[in-house]
């Protein structure tokens, strides 16, 4: 009973910035890890960045120094700041969360939000 709702995807010119948001709603206990993945057409879904409830962060090498992940535990929301965007960042970005529900930890995915970067 967890829904992840994403927002912020848009079309932007190279060098621009975007801020993606993902809010979890429903009935659950604790969200342990939250993260962002992206998927290019015809390719697998790959990790962009993740953050634990305590703030431990992991970035893909391709986005280090350009993207910033953060979360607001009170709002059950994770953010991704995308800076210095390049056309190669164009993809569908998915929110992910590891959630504890009734003594069981399950993983959930958002519906995806499109980010398009033009040159």
């Amino acid at each position: 009973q967890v829904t992840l709702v994403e927002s912020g995807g848009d079309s932007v010119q190279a060098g621009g910035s975007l801020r993606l948001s993902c809010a979890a709603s429903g009935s659950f206990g604790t969200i342990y890890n939250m993260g962002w993945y992206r998927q290019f057409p015809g390719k697998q879904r790959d990790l962009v960045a993740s953050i634990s409830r305590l703030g431990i962060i992991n970035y893909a090498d391709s986005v280090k120094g350009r993207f910033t992940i953060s979360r607001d535990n009170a709002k059950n929301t994770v953010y991704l700041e995308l800076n210095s965007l390049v056309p190669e960042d164009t993809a569908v970005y998915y929110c992910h969360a590891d959630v504890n529900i009734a003594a069981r930890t399950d993983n959930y995915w958002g519906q995806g939000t499109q980010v398009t970067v033009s040159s």
Side-chain angles (χ1 to χ4, degrees), residues 89-107:
D89 294 318
T90 297
V92 178
Y93 286 70
Y94 294 90
C95 178
H96 176 266
D98 293 320
V99 184
N100 175 262
I101 305 175
R104 176 185 296 179
T105 300
D106 296 317
N107 64 91

PDB file of all heavy atoms in Angstrom, residues 89-107:
ATOM      1  N   ASP A  89      21.940  12.844 -20.713  1.00  0.00           N
ATOM      2  CA  ASP A  89      21.121  12.637 -19.527  1.00  0.00           C
ATOM      3  C   ASP A  89      19.664  12.360 -19.877  1.00  0.00           C
ATOM      4  O   ASP A  89      18.867  12.047 -18.988  1.00  0.00           O
ATOM      5  CB  ASP A  89      21.189  13.855 -18.602  1.00  0.00           C
ATOM      6  CG  ASP A  89      22.569  14.063 -18.004  1.00  0.00           C
ATOM      7  OD1 ASP A  89      23.205  13.069 -17.605  1.00  0.00           O
ATOM      8  OD2 ASP A  89      23.008  15.232 -17.934  1.00  0.00           O
ATOM      9  N   THR A  90      19.301  12.483 -21.126  1.00  0.00           N
ATOM     10  CA  THR A  90      17.924  12.253 -21.550  1.00  0.00           C
ATOM     11  C   THR A  90      17.517  10.811 -21.277  1.00  0.00           C
ATOM     12  O   THR A  90      18.144   9.873 -21.767  1.00  0.00           O
ATOM     13  CB  THR A  90      17.753  12.568 -23.040  1.00  0.00           C
ATOM     14  OG1 THR A  90      18.020  13.956 -23.269  1.00  0.00           O
ATOM     15  CG2 THR A  90      16.338  12.253 -23.498  1.00  0.00           C
ATOM     16  N   ALA A  91      16.464  10.642 -20.483  1.00  0.00           N
ATOM     17  CA  ALA A  91      16.010   9.315 -20.089  1.00  0.00           C
ATOM     18  C   ALA A  91      14.730   9.445 -19.284  1.00  0.00           C
ATOM     19  O   ALA A  91      14.309  10.548 -18.929  1.00  0.00           O
ATOM     20  CB  ALA A  91      17.079   8.602 -19.257  1.00  0.00           C
ATOM     21  N   VAL A  92      14.126   8.308 -18.993  1.00  0.00           N
ATOM     22  CA  VAL A  92      13.035   8.261 -18.040  1.00  0.00           C
ATOM     23  C   VAL A  92      13.644   8.004 -16.669  1.00  0.00           C
ATOM     24  O   VAL A  92      14.374   7.031 -16.486  1.00  0.00           O
ATOM     25  CB  VAL A  92      12.006   7.171 -18.377  1.00  0.00           C
ATOM     26  CG1 VAL A  92      10.919   7.128 -17.312  1.00  0.00           C
ATOM     27  CG2 VAL A  92      11.400   7.420 -19.749  1.00  0.00           C
ATOM     28  N   TYR A  93      13.347   8.858 -15.720  1.00  0.00           N
ATOM     29  CA  TYR A  93      13.888   8.746 -14.379  1.00  0.00           C
ATOM     30  C   TYR A  93      12.836   8.159 -13.449  1.00  0.00           C
ATOM     31  O   TYR A  93      11.697   8.630 -13.400  1.00  0.00           O
ATOM     32  CB  TYR A  93      14.343  10.116 -13.867  1.00  0.00           C
ATOM     33  CG  TYR A  93      15.624  10.586 -14.506  1.00  0.00           C
ATOM     34  CD1 TYR A  93      15.655  10.966 -15.845  1.00  0.00           C
ATOM     35  CD2 TYR A  93      16.817  10.624 -13.780  1.00  0.00           C
ATOM     36  CE1 TYR A  93      16.835  11.375 -16.446  1.00  0.00           C
ATOM     37  CE2 TYR A  93      17.998  11.035 -14.368  1.00  0.00           C
ATOM     38  CZ  TYR A  93      18.001  11.410 -15.707  1.00  0.00           C
ATOM     39  OH  TYR A  93      19.178  11.822 -16.294  1.00  0.00           O
ATOM     40  N   TYR A  94      13.228   7.123 -12.707  1.00  0.00           N
ATOM     41  CA  TYR A  94      12.322   6.405 -11.830  1.00  0.00           C
ATOM     42  C   TYR A  94      12.736   6.553 -10.373  1.00  0.00           C
ATOM     43  O   TYR A  94      13.916   6.437 -10.038  1.00  0.00           O
ATOM     44  CB  TYR A  94      12.294   4.915 -12.168  1.00  0.00           C
ATOM     45  CG  TYR A  94      11.716   4.587 -13.525  1.00  0.00           C
ATOM     46  CD1 TYR A  94      12.531   4.533 -14.647  1.00  0.00           C
ATOM     47  CD2 TYR A  94      10.359   4.326 -13.676  1.00  0.00           C
ATOM     48  CE1 TYR A  94      12.009   4.227 -15.889  1.00  0.00           C
ATOM     49  CE2 TYR A  94       9.837   4.015 -14.922  1.00  0.00           C
ATOM     50  CZ  TYR A  94      10.665   3.967 -16.023  1.00  0.00           C
ATOM     51  OH  TYR A  94      10.144   3.656 -17.249  1.00  0.00           O
ATOM     52  N   CYS A  95      11.771   6.768  -9.525  1.00  0.00           N
ATOM     53  CA  CYS A  95      11.987   6.798  -8.097  1.00  0.00           C
ATOM     54  C   CYS A  95      11.858   5.386  -7.531  1.00  0.00           C
ATOM     55  O   CYS A  95      11.027   4.596  -7.986  1.00  0.00           O
ATOM     56  CB  CYS A  95      10.961   7.725  -7.437  1.00  0.00           C
ATOM     57  SG  CYS A  95      11.065   7.818  -5.638  1.00  0.00           S
ATOM     58  N   HIS A  96      12.681   5.072  -6.536  1.00  0.00           N
ATOM     59  CA  HIS A  96      12.654   3.761  -5.902  1.00  0.00           C
ATOM     60  C   HIS A  96      12.741   3.922  -4.390  1.00  0.00           C
ATOM     61  O   HIS A  96      13.405   4.834  -3.895  1.00  0.00           O
ATOM     62  CB  HIS A  96      13.828   2.903  -6.402  1.00  0.00           C
ATOM     63  CG  HIS A  96      13.922   1.572  -5.729  1.00  0.00           C
ATOM     64  ND1 HIS A  96      14.721   1.359  -4.623  1.00  0.00           N
ATOM     65  CD2 HIS A  96      13.318   0.390  -6.006  1.00  0.00           C
ATOM     66  CE1 HIS A  96      14.600   0.098  -4.247  1.00  0.00           C
ATOM     67  NE2 HIS A  96      13.759  -0.503  -5.065  1.00  0.00           N
ATOM     68  N   ALA A  97      12.073   3.024  -3.676  1.00  0.00           N
ATOM     69  CA  ALA A  97      12.120   3.072  -2.218  1.00  0.00           C
ATOM     70  C   ALA A  97      12.050   1.678  -1.630  1.00  0.00           C
ATOM     71  O   ALA A  97      11.302   0.824  -2.118  1.00  0.00           O
ATOM     72  CB  ALA A  97      10.976   3.922  -1.669  1.00  0.00           C
ATOM     73  N   ASP A  98      12.846   1.443  -0.594  1.00  0.00           N
ATOM     74  CA  ASP A  98      12.758   0.241   0.224  1.00  0.00           C
ATOM     75  C   ASP A  98      11.933   0.602   1.443  1.00  0.00           C
ATOM     76  O   ASP A  98      12.327   1.473   2.222  1.00  0.00           O
ATOM     77  CB  ASP A  98      14.139  -0.247   0.652  1.00  0.00           C
ATOM     78  CG  ASP A  98      14.966  -0.737  -0.511  1.00  0.00           C
ATOM     79  OD1 ASP A  98      14.410  -1.406  -1.399  1.00  0.00           O
ATOM     80  OD2 ASP A  98      16.186  -0.459  -0.528  1.00  0.00           O
ATOM     81  N   VAL A  99      10.802  -0.083   1.617  1.00  0.00           N
ATOM     82  CA  VAL A  99       9.819   0.308   2.619  1.00  0.00           C
ATOM     83  C   VAL A  99       9.503  -0.859   3.543  1.00  0.00           C
ATOM     84  O   VAL A  99       9.272  -1.978   3.083  1.00  0.00           O
ATOM     85  CB  VAL A  99       8.518   0.804   1.968  1.00  0.00           C
ATOM     86  CG1 VAL A  99       7.540   1.287   3.035  1.00  0.00           C
ATOM     87  CG2 VAL A  99       8.814   1.915   0.981  1.00  0.00           C
ATOM     88  N   ASN A 100       9.470  -0.579   4.839  1.00  0.00           N
ATOM     89  CA  ASN A 100       9.070  -1.582   5.819  1.00  0.00           C
ATOM     90  C   ASN A 100       7.570  -1.510   6.035  1.00  0.00           C
ATOM     91  O   ASN A 100       7.028  -0.458   6.382  1.00  0.00           O
ATOM     92  CB  ASN A 100       9.798  -1.365   7.145  1.00  0.00           C
ATOM     93  CG  ASN A 100       9.315  -2.312   8.229  1.00  0.00           C
ATOM     94  OD1 ASN A 100       8.480  -1.954   9.060  1.00  0.00           O
ATOM     95  ND2 ASN A 100       9.845  -3.530   8.232  1.00  0.00           N
ATOM     96  N   ILE A 101       6.895  -2.635   5.813  1.00  0.00           N
ATOM     97  CA  ILE A 101       5.457  -2.739   6.016  1.00  0.00           C
ATOM     98  C   ILE A 101       5.172  -4.035   6.766  1.00  0.00           C
ATOM     99  O   ILE A 101       5.487  -5.117   6.284  1.00  0.00           O
ATOM    100  CB  ILE A 101       4.681  -2.733   4.687  1.00  0.00           C
ATOM    101  CG1 ILE A 101       5.038  -1.497   3.860  1.00  0.00           C
ATOM    102  CG2 ILE A 101       3.184  -2.791   4.942  1.00  0.00           C
ATOM    103  CD1 ILE A 101       4.415  -1.481   2.483  1.00  0.00           C
ATOM    104  N   ALA A 102       4.594  -3.928   7.950  1.00  0.00           N
ATOM    105  CA  ALA A 102       4.220  -5.103   8.747  1.00  0.00           C
ATOM    106  C   ALA A 102       5.384  -6.083   8.892  1.00  0.00           C
ATOM    107  O   ALA A 102       5.253  -7.270   8.594  1.00  0.00           O
ATOM    108  CB  ALA A 102       3.003  -5.788   8.142  1.00  0.00           C
ATOM    109  N   ALA A 103       6.515  -5.567   9.316  1.00  0.00           N
ATOM    110  CA  ALA A 103       7.715  -6.354   9.586  1.00  0.00           C
ATOM    111  C   ALA A 103       8.354  -6.947   8.332  1.00  0.00           C
ATOM    112  O   ALA A 103       9.216  -7.827   8.438  1.00  0.00           O
ATOM    113  CB  ALA A 103       7.424  -7.455  10.594  1.00  0.00           C
ATOM    114  N   ARG A 104       7.963  -6.479   7.178  1.00  0.00           N
ATOM    115  CA  ARG A 104       8.554  -6.932   5.930  1.00  0.00           C
ATOM    116  C   ARG A 104       9.038  -5.721   5.133  1.00  0.00           C
ATOM    117  O   ARG A 104       8.362  -4.701   5.077  1.00  0.00           O
ATOM    118  CB  ARG A 104       7.551  -7.724   5.101  1.00  0.00           C
ATOM    119  CG  ARG A 104       8.074  -8.150   3.735  1.00  0.00           C
ATOM    120  CD  ARG A 104       6.998  -8.818   2.910  1.00  0.00           C
ATOM    121  NE  ARG A 104       6.554 -10.070   3.525  1.00  0.00           N
ATOM    122  CZ  ARG A 104       5.609 -10.850   3.010  1.00  0.00           C
ATOM    123  NH1 ARG A 104       5.000 -10.505   1.883  1.00  0.00           N
ATOM    124  NH2 ARG A 104       5.251 -11.962   3.632  1.00  0.00           N
ATOM    125  N   THR A 105      10.211  -5.855   4.523  1.00  0.00           N
ATOM    126  CA  THR A 105      10.762  -4.784   3.710  1.00  0.00           C
ATOM    127  C   THR A 105      10.567  -5.118   2.233  1.00  0.00           C
ATOM    128  O   THR A 105      11.030  -6.149   1.757  1.00  0.00           O
ATOM    129  CB  THR A 105      12.248  -4.561   3.999  1.00  0.00           C
ATOM    130  OG1 THR A 105      12.428  -4.219   5.377  1.00  0.00           O
ATOM    131  CG2 THR A 105      12.793  -3.429   3.143  1.00  0.00           C
ATOM    132  N   ASP A 106       9.869  -4.238   1.532  1.00  0.00           N
ATOM    133  CA  ASP A 106       9.599  -4.419   0.115  1.00  0.00           C
ATOM    134  C   ASP A 106      10.113  -3.205  -0.654  1.00  0.00           C
ATOM    135  O   ASP A 106      10.324  -2.127  -0.090  1.00  0.00           O
ATOM    136  CB  ASP A 106       8.107  -4.598  -0.148  1.00  0.00           C
ATOM    137  CG  ASP A 106       7.555  -5.850   0.492  1.00  0.00           C
ATOM    138  OD1 ASP A 106       8.221  -6.904   0.417  1.00  0.00           O
ATOM    139  OD2 ASP A 106       6.453  -5.787   1.068  1.00  0.00           O
ATOM    140  N   ASN A 107      10.299  -3.392  -1.940  1.00  0.00           N
ATOM    141  CA  ASN A 107      10.745  -2.291  -2.769  1.00  0.00           C
ATOM    142  C   ASN A 107       9.633  -1.837  -3.708  1.00  0.00           C
ATOM    143  O   ASN A 107       8.840  -2.645  -4.199  1.00  0.00           O
ATOM    144  CB  ASN A 107      12.010  -2.656  -3.561  1.00  0.00           C
ATOM    145  CG  ASN A 107      11.778  -3.777  -4.554  1.00  0.00           C
ATOM    146  OD1 ASN A 107      11.436  -3.521  -5.708  1.00  0.00           O
ATOM    147  ND2 ASN A 107      11.975  -5.005  -4.118  1.00  0.00           N
TER     148      ASN A 107
END
